[in-house]
C-alpha cells in the first residue's frame, strides 16, 4: 500500500469485564480517524487488543472456577465481538497473553535490569486491585483510590522497581519543548505540575503476590507488573524485540497517535516515554487523552445501575446511529454525555430529519420529475453559488478538524452543510418549478445540485457512518466516493439512473421508546422465561451479598398501571415506612390475590421510573412452570407471622 505511513492505536482494555459504551467510544473514535486517513491516501496501521494479565483477572477467574486464561479468553471474545459489530477496521488485535508479546516483554525487562534501570526492593503501601495501581497515603482521596474511588488494601511485598528519576529531567525537557506531544493542553499541564515537577518516585514493575503475569526470567518468584507488560504492546505488535526489530516496526514506529482515556494519561505520557528512552527508541508523536462518556452527569458504574453497552444500543439505534452519537457528543477537551433521551434527540435531528429526509426527498423528486435519471446542471441561478460555497467551506472545516482529531467539530461541519442543502430545497421550491415546462432546465439543475450535495456529505461522513454512506453511494449509482472527489463541486456524473434507497433512519417516537425500554427493564429481572443454570455463573463474595438489604413487606394495596399490561403498582408496608414498588407480575397475579400477603423485598435498590411510575424497590419472584408447562413468575411469599420490616438473613 502506498502513501505516507500512519500508525494509530487504542489503549488495550483490561479483559476483566464487558466494555461499556464509554470504553467502546475509544475504538470507534480511533476507527473514524483511521478510515479518514485511509481516505486521504495514508498507509494506515490501526492497532487494538486486550490487556489480560494481573491480580484482578486471577481473582475473578478463581471466583468463576476457571483458569485465568479461560476467563480472559471469554472476556476478550466479547470485546472483539463488540469491536467487530461496531464496524471497526483494526489491522491487528493483540493480546498480552500472545506468546510473542510475552517473550518480548521478558527481554525488555531483562534489558532494563542489565543496564541498571531496575532494582529489587520491598514495597509497602496502598494498592487498588481494579486499577492495578499503587498509591501513597497522600495520593488517596478520603482513604480510597483517587482514580476509581474504590477501597484500597495495604500491601507489602518484594518487588523490582524502575528508576524513574533517572529519566525524569529528560522527559520534562521533551514535553516542554515538543508542542502537541500531549493533547489536550490541559493534560500536559496536569502531568508536569502534578507528577513531574514535584519529583517522580521509582515505579514498581514486578509482583510476587500473584502468578498470573509474564514471568521474570531471572527471578521466578516475580511476574512483570502491568505497565511494562501492557504498554509494550504498541511495539511488540509490530514485531519489536530487544535484539530484533521487525519489518512493521521499522516501517510504522514511531506511532503517530495513541488514543487513550484521560484516566490513563499518566501511564502513557510518563511511564511509557521513559521506558522507550531506556530502550533507546523514539517516542510517539502524539498522545491524545480524550474525556469520559458520562451517563448524564455521572460516571458509568455497575453499582449505580447506569451502564450502557454498545452492542445493545446498536440493536436499538443501529451501528451507524451509535457511532454518530458518541462521536458527535464527545468534545475534544471535555467529557461527553449519553442518555436515551439525548440519543433519540440527536438521532431524530441529525439522522432522520436532516440526512435521511434530504436523501429521501431528493431521490423521490428525481424519480418523479426525471424518471430517476440524474439531470444535467445547465441552468444556474443565484442560490446555487451559496450552496457550492457552503460545500467548499464544509470540506475545508471538516478536513481541518479531522486532522486535529476534533471529530465532533468535523461532524458539525458536515451536518451544517446538509442543513444548508435542505434549506436550498425550500429556497428553490422544485415542486413549483415542475409545474412550468419552461423551467425544466432549472429544475434539473436544482436536483443535480441536491444530489451532488448528498454525495459530498456522504463522502465526508463515511469515516463515521460507513454503512449508511455506502447505501447512499449505491442509490446515487456513483463511484465518485474518494476524498479526492471533494476538490470541486460537480463530480457526480449526469445521465445515470438513481437506484432505490431503503429508509436510512426512521424517526423514533420518544414516548413509545421509553415506555418499551421501561417494560424491558422491569421484565428482565422477573422474566417469564425460565433460565437454565450456566457454568459461567460467577460466585460473589460475602461482602457483595451483604450489601443487598432484604426485608419482609406486607402488601397493603395494589393496582394495575394503565400504560402497561405487565405492571402492578404495590404499596408495601416495611414496618417503618410504606414503599411504592412496581412489579412486572400483572400477567400472573390480580390485586385481590396479593393484598395482605407478606413478600420478600429488596429494600436498598436505587429508585427507578417504570412507565412513568416511581418504584422504590423490588419484590422477589422465581421463574417456574405450571403443571401444564406454562412458564410464570412465582412471587416469594413469606408466612403471615413474619412482621413487616423484618430483615431476611
Amino acid at each position: 500500500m502506498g502513501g505516507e505511513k500512519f500508525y494509530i492505536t487504542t489503549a488495550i482494555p483490561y479483559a476483566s469485564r464487558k466494555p461499556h459504551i464509554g470504553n467502546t467510544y475509544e475504538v470507534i473514535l480511533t476507527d473514524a480517524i483511521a478510515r479518514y486517513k485511509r481516505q486521504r491516501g495514508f498507509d494506515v496501521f490501526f492497532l487494538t487488543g486486550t490487556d489480560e494479565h494481573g491480580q484482578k483477572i486471577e481473582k475473578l477467574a478463581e471466583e468463576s472456577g476457571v483458569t485465568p486464561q479461560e476467563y480472559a479468553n471469554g472476556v476478550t471474545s466479547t470485546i472483539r465481538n463488540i469491536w467487530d459489530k461496531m464496524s471497526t477496521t483494526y489491522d491487528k488485535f493483540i493480546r498480552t497473553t500472545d506468546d510473542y508479546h510475552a517473550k518480548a516483554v521478558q527481554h525488555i525487562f531483562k534489558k532494563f535490569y542489565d543496564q541498571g534501570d531496575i532494582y529489587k526492593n520491598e514495597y509497602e503501601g496502598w494498592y487498588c486491585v481494579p486499577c492495578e495501581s499503587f498509591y501513597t497515603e497522600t495520593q488517596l482521596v478520603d482513604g480510597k483510590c483517587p482514580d476509581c474511588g474504590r477501597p484500597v488494601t495495604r500491601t507489602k511485598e518484594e518487588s523490582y522497581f524502575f528508576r524513574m528519576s533517572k529519566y525524569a529531567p529528560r522527559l520534562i525537557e521533551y514535553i516542554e519543548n515538543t508542542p502537541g506531544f500531549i493533547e489536550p493542553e490541559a493534560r500536559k499541564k496536569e502531568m508536569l505540575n502534578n507528577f513531574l515537577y514535584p519529583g517522580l518516585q521509582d515505579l514498581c514493575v514486578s509482583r510476587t503476590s500473584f502468578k498470573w503475569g509474564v514471568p521474570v526470567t531471572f527471578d521466578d518468584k516475580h511476574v512483570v507488573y502491568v505497565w511494562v507488560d501492557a504498554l509494550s504492546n504498541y511495539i511488540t505488535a509490530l514485531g519489536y524485540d530487544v535484539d530484533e526489530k521487525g519489518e512493521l516496526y521499522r516501517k510504522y514506529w514511531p506511532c503517530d497517535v495513541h488514543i487513550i482515556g484521560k484516566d490513563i494519561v499518566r501511564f502513557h505520557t510518563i511511564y511509557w516515554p521513559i521506558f522507550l528512552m531506556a530502550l533507546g527508541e523514539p517516542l510517539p508523536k502524539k498522545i491524545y487523552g480524550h474525556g469520559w462518556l458520562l451517563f448524564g452527569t455521572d460516571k458509568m458504574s455497575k453499582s449505580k445501575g447506569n451502564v450502557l453497552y454498545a452492542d445493545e444500543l446498536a440493536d436499538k439505534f443501529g451501528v451507524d446511529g451509535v457511532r454518530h452519537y458518541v462521536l458527535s457528543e464527545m468534545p475534544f477537551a471535555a467529557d461527553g454525555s449519553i442518555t436515551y433521551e439525548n440519543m433519540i434527540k440527536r438521532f431524530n435531528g441529525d439522522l432522520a430529519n436532516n440526512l435521511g429526509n434530504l436523501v429521501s426527498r431528493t431521490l423521490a423528486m428525481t424519480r418523479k420529475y426525471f424518471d430517476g435519471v440524474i439531470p444535467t446542471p445547465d441552468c444556474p441561478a443565484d442560490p446555487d453559488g451559496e450552496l457550492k460555497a457552503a460545500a467548499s467551506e464544509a470540506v475545508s472545516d471538516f478536513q481541518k478538524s479531522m486532522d486535529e482529531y476534533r471529530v465532533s467539530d468535523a461532524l458539525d461541519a458536515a451536518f451544517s452543510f446538509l442543513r444548508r442543502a435542505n434549506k436550498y430545497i425550500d429556497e428553490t421550491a422544485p415542486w413549483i418549478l415542475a409545474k412550468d415546462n419552461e423551467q425544466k432546465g432549472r429544475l434539473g439543475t436544482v436536483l443535480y445540485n441536491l444530489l451532488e450535495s448528498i454525495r459530498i456529505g456522504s463522502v465526508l461522513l463515511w469515516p463515521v457512518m460507513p454503512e449508511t454512506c455506502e447505501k447512499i453511494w449505491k442509490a446515487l449509482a456513483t463511484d465518485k466516493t474518494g476524498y479526492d472527489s471533494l476538490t470541486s463541486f460537480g463530480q457526480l456524473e449526469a445521465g445515470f439512473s438513481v437506484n432505490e434507497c431503503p429508509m436510512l433512519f426512521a424517526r423514533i417516537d420518544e414516548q413509545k421508546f421509553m415506555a418499551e425500554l421501561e417494560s424491558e427493564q422491569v421484565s428482565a429481572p422477573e422474566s417469564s422465561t425460565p433460565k437454565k443454570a450456566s457454568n459461567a455463573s460467577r460466585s460473589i463474595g460475602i461482602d457483595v451479598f451483604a450489601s443487598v438489604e432484604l426485608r419482609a413487606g406486607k402488601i397493603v394495596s395494589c393496582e394495575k398501571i394503565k400504560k402497561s399490561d405487565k405492571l402492578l403498582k404495590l404499596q408495601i408496608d416495611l414496618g417503618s415506612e410504606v414503599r411504592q414498588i412496581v412489579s412486572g407480575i400483572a400477567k400472573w397475579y390480580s390485586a385481590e390475590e396479593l393484598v395482605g400477603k407478606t413478600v420478600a423485598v429488596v429494600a436498598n435498590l436505587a429508585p427507578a421510573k417504570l412507565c412513568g411510575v416511581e418504584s422504590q424497590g423490588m419484590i422477589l419472584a422465581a421463574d417456574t412452570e405450571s403443571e401444564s408447562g406454562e412458564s410464570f413468575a412465582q412471587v416469594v411469599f413469606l408466612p403471615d407471622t413474619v412482621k413487616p420490616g423484618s430483615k431476611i438473613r
Side-chain angles (χ1 to χ4, degrees):
M1 186 175 182
E4 183 182 347
K5 71 91 181 171
F6 184 81
Y7 180 32
I8 186 170
T9 75
T10 69
I12 51 174
Y14 196 46
S16 61
R17 66 182 188 276
K18 179 179 179 178
H20 58 59
I21 184 61
N23 307 133
T24 310
Y25 157 75
E26 184 172 297
V27 76
I28 295 173
L29 170 65
T30 307
D31 179 70
I33 296 169
R35 284 176 179 268
Y36 166 74
K37 289 293 185 178
R38 292 190 193 105
Q39 269 189 319
R40 299 293 309 279
F42 284 77
D43 178 357
V44 173
F45 195 90
F46 168 14
L47 176 70
T48 188
T50 43
D51 174 11
E52 301 182 15
H53 289 130
Q55 185 175 5
K56 185 176 181 180
I57 287 177
E58 185 177 82
K59 182 179 179 182
L60 289 170
E62 182 181 355
E63 292 173 354
S64 301
V66 298
T67 67
Q69 186 66 70
E70 288 172 330
Y71 186 89
N73 288 347
V75 178
T76 292
S77 177
T78 297
I79 291 172
R80 192 161 188 168
N81 287 339
I82 293 174
W83 277 202
D84 291 342
K85 181 168 184 174
M86 299 314 296
S87 299
T88 59
T89 55
Y90 51 86
D91 294 285
K92 186 165 185 175
F93 190 101
I94 187 173
R95 303 177 60 179
T96 57
T97 52
D98 290 336
D99 289 343
Y100 71 89
H101 170 79
K103 180 181 177 183
V105 166
Q106 288 178 322
H107 294 164
I108 290 169
F109 195 90
K110 183 65 162 56
K111 178 179 175 67
F112 290 161
Y113 180 76
D114 289 343
Q115 63 192 26
D117 286 324
I118 62 175
Y119 61 93
K120 185 188 289 188
N121 204 336
E122 187 172 76
Y123 176 83
E124 183 173 5
W126 297 102
Y127 181 68
C128 176
V129 173
C131 292
E132 299 272 6
S133 296
F134 293 98
Y135 299 100
T136 63
E137 188 77 41
T138 57
Q139 289 174 323
L140 301 180
V141 177
D142 297 327
K144 296 181 179 180
C145 173
D147 290 329
C148 73
R150 294 182 179 93
V152 291
T153 56
R154 191 74 180 175
T155 300
K156 182 177 182 180
E157 65 180 281
E158 181 183 273
S159 301
Y160 283 96
F161 290 81
F162 191 100
R163 301 181 194 277
M164 304 300 287
S165 57
K166 175 180 175 181
Y167 296 92
R170 180 176 162 190
L171 178 60
I172 291 171
E173 181 181 7
Y174 185 86
I175 292 174
E176 290 176 335
N177 297 324
T178 310
F181 175 60
I182 303 173
E183 288 193 339
E185 182 72 13
R187 313 261 191 262
K188 169 184 173 179
K189 293 178 180 178
E190 179 187 359
M191 294 303 106
L192 288 170
N193 294 330
N194 294 358
F195 299 102
L196 287 167
Y197 291 156
L200 280 181
Q201 294 183 334
D202 288 349
L203 178 68
C204 174
V205 290
S206 80
R207 301 292 303 279
T208 54
S209 57
F210 61 90
K211 291 298 182 184
W212 182 237
V214 177
V216 173
T217 54
F218 54 88
D219 193 338
D220 59 9
K221 290 193 303 181
H222 292 253
V223 293
V224 179
Y225 184 45
V226 60
W227 295 114
V228 173
D229 178 11
L231 291 167
S232 297
N233 92 91
Y234 302 126
I235 54 177
T236 64
L238 300 177
Y240 174 88
D241 206 333
V242 168
D243 298 320
E244 180 181 355
K245 299 178 182 179
E247 181 182 349
L248 289 177
Y249 180 82
R250 293 194 302 271
K251 179 178 181 180
Y252 288 107
W253 192 260
C255 180
D256 290 87
V257 60
H258 289 313
I259 305 292
I260 60 167
K262 66 179 183 179
D263 52 330
I264 54 174
V265 168
R266 172 164 52 105
F267 311 117
H268 283 77
T269 62
I270 297 178
Y271 302 168
W272 180 225
I274 284 178
F275 292 158
L276 287 168
M277 288 176 178
L279 290 172
E281 301 299 331
L283 304 194
K285 296 179 183 178
K286 186 183 298 293
I287 299 165
Y288 169 47
H290 62 76
W292 286 335
L293 188 62
L294 305 175
F295 183 83
T297 58
D298 295 328
K299 189 177 180 181
M300 288 190 199
S301 164
K302 281 190 175 182
S303 63
K304 294 181 180 179
N306 63 0
V307 175
L308 300 178
Y309 297 102
D311 54 340
E312 296 173 7
L313 289 170
D315 291 338
K316 299 179 184 301
F317 296 93
V319 170
D320 280 0
V322 175
R323 287 173 62 101
H324 165 257
Y325 180 85
V326 297
L327 295 177
S328 297
E329 290 290 329
M330 182 70 82
F332 177 76
D335 293 335
S337 175
I338 184 169
T339 64
Y340 283 112
E341 292 85 353
N342 287 345
M343 285 197 75
I344 293 168
K345 183 181 295 184
R346 174 73 75 170
F347 184 96
N348 286 343
D350 281 351
L351 303 185
N353 294 351
N354 192 358
L355 174 59
N357 193 39
L358 177 64
V359 172
S360 177
R361 293 169 74 188
T362 303
L363 290 175
M365 288 189 289
T366 304
R367 285 190 292 269
K368 181 177 181 180
Y369 301 137
F370 290 91
D371 295 323
V373 177
I374 299 173
T376 301
D378 53 10
C379 290
D382 289 344
D384 303 355
E386 293 181 16
L387 181 67
K388 293 176 182 179
S392 178
E393 182 180 0
V395 171
S396 176
D397 290 348
F398 185 92
Q399 181 172 317
K400 182 177 185 297
S401 295
M402 288 298 290
D403 286 343
E404 296 174 354
Y405 310 132
R406 298 176 180 270
V407 180
S408 63
D409 293 339
L411 284 170
D412 282 345
F415 279 96
S416 292
F417 171 60
L418 294 175
R419 284 190 289 273
R420 182 63 185 84
N422 273 304
K423 181 181 178 183
Y424 178 77
I425 295 179
D426 297 332
E427 292 172 336
T428 56
W431 53 90
I432 294 177
L433 294 173
K435 295 177 181 179
D436 186 349
N437 285 334
E438 293 184 2
Q439 295 287 344
K440 189 76 171 180
R442 177 58 189 155
L443 175 62
T445 299
V446 167
L447 289 179
Y448 176 88
N449 290 342
L450 288 169
L451 291 166
E452 172 69 346
S453 295
I454 291 170
R455 185 195 67 81
I456 291 171
S458 63
V459 173
L460 292 176
L461 291 175
W462 178 79
V464 174
M465 301 190 297
E467 182 181 348
T468 298
C469 295
E470 286 161 16
K471 288 178 182 177
I472 292 173
W473 297 341
K474 184 176 180 180
L476 295 178
T478 184
D479 60 359
K480 303 294 184 181
T481 58
Y483 205 85
D484 56 357
S485 71
L486 299 176
T487 54
S488 62
F489 193 98
Q491 299 290 313
L492 185 66
E493 295 182 69
F496 289 92
S497 295
V498 298
N499 298 307
E500 291 292 330
C501 184
M503 179 178 287
L504 299 177
F505 303 101
R507 275 187 59 83
I508 297 174
D509 183 319
E510 181 176 343
Q511 186 173 2
K512 180 181 178 182
F513 180 96
M514 296 305 294
E516 291 174 351
L517 180 66
E518 289 169 350
S519 181
E520 289 174 11
Q521 290 173 338
V522 76
S523 62
E526 300 173 351
S527 171
S528 61
T529 304
K531 296 178 176 59
K532 295 181 180 179
S534 170
N535 291 332
S537 296
R538 188 159 55 82
S539 301
I540 62 172
I542 189 63
D543 55 335
V544 175
F545 176 75
S547 68
V548 181
E549 184 181 338
L550 297 175
R551 294 196 177 274
K554 187 172 185 177
I555 301 174
V556 295
S557 68
C558 177
E559 62 180 288
K560 289 194 71 172
I561 293 177
K562 294 180 181 179
K563 295 180 181 179
S564 172
D565 58 0
K566 296 181 180 180
L567 302 180
L568 292 176
K569 181 171 69 173
L570 311 164
Q571 302 297 327
I572 299 180
D573 181 6
L574 291 178
S576 60
E577 62 177 318
V578 175
R579 289 270 192 93
Q580 177 173 286
I581 294 178
V582 176
S583 181
I585 56 174
K587 182 178 178 181
W588 304 285
Y589 292 93
S590 65
E592 293 75 19
E593 292 176 280
L594 293 172
V595 172
K597 296 286 188 181
T598 302
V599 295
V601 176
V602 181
N604 62 338
L605 191 66
K609 282 195 174 182
L610 305 171
C611 284
V613 179
E614 185 171 283
S615 180
Q616 300 171 321
M618 177 185 291
I619 65 171
L620 299 188
D623 293 328
T624 186
E625 287 186 357
S626 66
E627 293 182 0
S628 64
E630 181 183 4
S631 57
F632 69 96
Q634 171 68 60
V635 172
V636 177
F637 292 114
L638 302 175
D640 293 340
T641 54
V642 178
K643 293 182 179 180
S646 299
K647 188 171 183 179
I648 300 173
R649 303 179 185 276

